[in-house]
Amino acid sequence: MHKILFIGGGQMSEAIIRALINHNVYAPTDIGVNDIAPARIDYLHSTYNIQDTCDLNGVEADLIVLAVRPQDAWHTILTQLQPLNSQAVLISIIAGVTIAQLKQALTVNLPVVRTIPNTLTDTGFGYSGVATDEQDSYCVKQQNVLTFLTGFGKIEPIDESLLDIFTGYSVAGPNYIYYFYESLVDAGVLAGLPRDKAKRLAIENLHGAASMLTISQKHPRELLDINNSPAGVGMHALYELNNSDFAAGLQRSVLAAVKRTVALGIKTH
Ligand SMILES: NC(=O)c1ccc[n+]([C@@H]2O[C@H](COP(=O)([O-])OP(=O)(O)OC[C@H]3O[C@@H](n4cnc5c(N)ncnc54)[C@H](OP(=O)(O)O)[C@@H]3O)[C@@H](O)[C@H]2O)c1
């Protein structure tokens, strides 16, 4: 019997599987995968040595991770799903599809946990948002569920009503940082630094600034005040950033991500 079965072996499943195996949370033999594309199963089998599970009728697993896209046939999958293990738990990572929708599609009585996994799974950083309804809230304290969820990052328990916001703000979060980093490196190159130097300096400042915020517990404005002397270099730079609509652009970008998450969920029913 598998400890975990992934239904949908795409990018997110692979990132989670890689972290679980690399962090020795599960052995490859504990993990099964079901995917519509045979080539994808072959790839996951040859890369991670995990097992193919074709039949959803008579699934043997403790945890069943539903990892298809919101626009895929998750409804049909859940209709067909017949776990043999009466203690099995369904963990959905599908963005935008609610616990009520998932339960409505199931033809068996399975507890449902919704998580939006973080995408920093290889690093040990990153929060995955986790929600249940009241009836299944005991599940998130269950050892096998906790072992799985903490096997690829940290857990942030969150009310389901906030999960779409969590997705657009926190799960998409590394994208904003990657883009900021890329833009900053380009700025260094524009000013005349060689790219490899600009990259090294920018990543050090990213790590260091994050540590300063955590260690000092100071408001960012206080840290900015310390760094910005009257008519100084930093203040001139901030003036231009303020002129550029930087903060509002970033905030609009987060709101667009949240809006898209909501829209994907609505489209599926
Ligand atoms: N990627 C992220 O950063 C991220 C973050 C948080 C949450 N999520 C959620 O995670 C889920 C998966 O995202 P992803 O990025 O991993 O997508 P993905 O790479 O497209 O993976 C989905 C996989 O499911 C397969 N599939 C489609 N229909 C299927 C079916 N009926 N039965 C079995 N397998 C099926 C797809 O095969 P085909 O490609 O051949 O159709 C594909 O291999 C999504 O619901 C998304 O909302 C993703």
Side-chain angles (χ1 to χ4, degrees):
M1 181 165 97
H2 300 306
K3 289 190 175 157
I4 306 179
L5 170 69
F6 287 83
I7 303 177
Q11 298 310 315
M12 198 65 239
S13 287
E14 182 177 359
I16 295 174
I17 289 166
R18 186 173 58 240
L20 295 176
I21 293 175
N22 287 347
H23 300 160
N24 296 315
V25 182
Y26 294 101
T29 45
D30 292 334
I31 303 173
V33 64
N34 171 292
D35 195 281
I36 207 165
R40 191 67 193 157
I41 293 180
D42 288 348
Y43 163 78
L44 292 170
H45 174 66
S46 61
T47 310
Y48 302 101
N49 202 24
I50 61 174
Q51 311 304 309
D52 169 15
T53 302
C54 305
D55 201 357
L56 296 179
N57 189 345
V59 159
E60 293 188 74
D62 295 340
L63 305 179
I64 300 162
V65 181
L66 187 61
V68 296
R69 292 161 296 223
Q71 60 271 36
D72 291 333
W74 56 267
H75 198 280
T76 313
I77 293 171
L78 292 183
T79 312
Q80 291 169 353
L81 190 63
Q82 297 290 335
L84 291 181
N85 177 1
S86 60
Q87 306 293 312
V89 176
L90 179 74
I91 300 182
S92 170
I93 72 165
I94 306 180
V97 177
T98 65
I99 293 170
Q101 287 174 276
L102 296 163
K103 284 194 167 180
Q104 207 170 24
L106 281 166
T107 54
V108 287
N109 189 14
L110 271 186
V112 175
V113 174
R114 244 188 100 187
T115 184
I116 303 297
N118 81 85
T119 55
L120 300 170
T121 50
D122 293 318
T123 67
F125 285 100
Y127 282 105
S128 301
V130 179
T132 58
D133 62 15
E134 215 175 316
Q135 190 192 340
D136 296 338
S137 58
Y138 70 94
C139 272
V140 283
K141 298 187 190 104
Q142 214 169 280
Q143 195 50 54
N144 59 349
V145 174
L146 276 176
T147 301
F148 169 72
L149 291 172
T150 54
F152 52 91
K154 304 182 179 80
I155 303 179
E156 179 68 24
I158 192 159
D159 192 274
E160 191 182 19
S161 64
L162 296 178
L163 215 45
D164 289 344
I165 300 175
F166 179 86
T167 305
Y169 176 67
S170 182
V171 175
N175 290 353
Y176 310 125
I177 312 288
Y178 298 146
Y179 191 69
F180 172 79
Y181 167 75
E182 187 204 17
S183 306
L184 191 59
V185 170
D186 275 352
V189 176
L190 183 67
L193 283 176
R195 185 165 289 275
D196 61 335
K197 238 186 234 316
K199 282 162 87 175
R200 201 155 32 79
L201 300 177
I203 201 88
E204 184 72 9
N205 279 338
L206 272 183
H207 281 298
S211 291
M212 276 298 279
L213 284 167
T214 314
I215 293 167
S216 73
Q217 291 291 302
K218 287 192 192 315
H219 191 282
R221 181 52 60 183
E222 288 181 81
L223 294 172
L224 284 169
D225 276 352
I226 293 167
N227 277 1
N228 291 319
S229 54
V233 172
M235 203 58 218
H236 274 78
L238 272 189
Y239 173 72
E240 278 306 329
L241 262 189
N242 288 338
N243 270 342
S244 73
D245 209 22
F246 173 77
L250 184 59
Q251 287 152 13
R252 278 197 301 272
S253 160
V254 171
L255 292 184
V258 173
K259 196 171 158 193
R260 180 63 183 149
T261 309
V262 174
L264 280 173
I266 290 168
K267 258 193 190 169
T268 63
H269 61 285

